[in-house]
């Protein structure tokens, strides 16, 4: 069933696993969700992207995301630390963050929600599950949720 709204959102995925990033892109394509996916490899790079620092200064090449998919276990700065920094920043805190991780630890879930995550999702174990998840995420965030327009600063 095609989506009734013709808008799309920019999704920023922070995950150090290249295979997970590629599979997520393939799953988005397979699910026919019309969203643009940008990827970074850790929390440091995520914050650079969001703050338009370093190579991420061009807002046309690196648009503000309408949604962040965040892995918890990454080098340099993990997802837990990055989430706290995002939600502490008045310019970034309105961006919804969905934790997408292999961690099934209740403590991670409780801390994630306590730090301001919009959702906590355990990564599916196979590609079909990932396609279904990307379709559901796309439908939810495009069809049902009202998000503010991305800034053009």
């Amino acid at each position: 069933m095609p989506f009734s709204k013709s808008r799309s959102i920019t999704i920023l995925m922070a995950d150090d696993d290249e295979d997970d990033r590629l599979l997520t892109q393939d799953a988005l394509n397979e699910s026919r969700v019309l969203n643009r996916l940008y990827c970074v490899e850790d929390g440091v790079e995520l914050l650079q992207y969001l703050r338009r620092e370093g190579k991420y200064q061009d807002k046309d090449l690196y648009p503000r995301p309408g949604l962040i998919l965040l892995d918890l276990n990454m080098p340099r700065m993990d997802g837990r630390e990055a989430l706290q920094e995002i939600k502490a920043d008045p310019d970034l805190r309105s961006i919804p963050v969905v934790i997408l991780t292999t961690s099934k630890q209740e403590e991670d879930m409780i801390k994630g929600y306590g730090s301001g995550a919009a959702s906590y999702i355990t990564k599916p174990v196979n590609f079909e599950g990932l396609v279904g998840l990307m379709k559901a995420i796309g439908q939810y965030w495009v069809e049902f949720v009202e998000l503010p327009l991305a800034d053009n600063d």
Side-chain angles (χ1 to χ4, degrees):
M1 178 170 104
F3 297 119
S4 61
K5 292 184 183 179
S6 60
R7 70 181 178 96
S8 68
I9 59 172
T10 297
I11 299 172
L12 179 57
M13 181 179 196
D15 195 317
D16 63 318
D17 187 316
E18 183 178 7
D19 289 338
D20 283 352
R21 294 190 308 266
L22 292 172
L23 284 172
T24 299
Q25 180 64 63
D26 289 346
L28 274 172
N29 293 339
E30 181 80 17
S31 68
R32 295 192 167 94
V33 173
L34 301 175
N35 295 313
R36 294 171 297 180
L37 180 68
Y38 294 81
C39 297
V40 294
E41 296 184 12
D42 59 43
V44 171
E45 198 176 353
L46 171 62
L47 290 168
Q48 288 172 342
Y49 182 111
L50 293 171
R51 294 175 176 153
R52 295 198 171 116
E53 298 171 349
K55 69 179 184 179
Y56 299 108
Q57 292 178 32
D58 187 329
K59 67 180 179 182
D60 294 324
L61 289 177
Y62 305 104
R64 180 179 171 99
L67 177 66
I68 297 169
L69 299 178
L70 181 65
D71 186 31
L72 293 181
N73 301 311
M74 298 181 292
R76 294 201 301 169
M77 176 188 287
D78 70 16
R80 298 162 192 84
E81 296 168 290
L83 178 60
Q84 288 180 345
E85 287 212 28
I86 290 166
K87 295 305 176 182
D89 187 322
D91 295 327
L92 304 176
R93 73 172 59 138
S94 65
I95 303 170
V97 177
V98 172
I99 295 172
L100 182 60
T101 186
T102 56
S103 174
K104 293 182 181 185
Q105 303 228 358
E106 179 122 2
E107 181 181 349
D108 282 337
M109 189 182 310
I110 291 168
K111 285 183 179 180
Y113 281 120
S115 295
S119 299
Y120 188 101
I121 301 171
T122 302
K123 290 179 183 177
V125 295
N126 59 38
F127 183 70
E128 292 76 23
L130 188 59
V131 170
L133 176 61
M134 289 300 112
K135 191 172 206 170
I137 286 174
Q139 185 173 20
Y140 179 76
W141 290 103
V142 172
E143 287 287 304
F144 302 118
V145 175
E146 296 293 331
L147 295 171
L149 295 175
D151 68 348
N152 293 322
D153 61 349

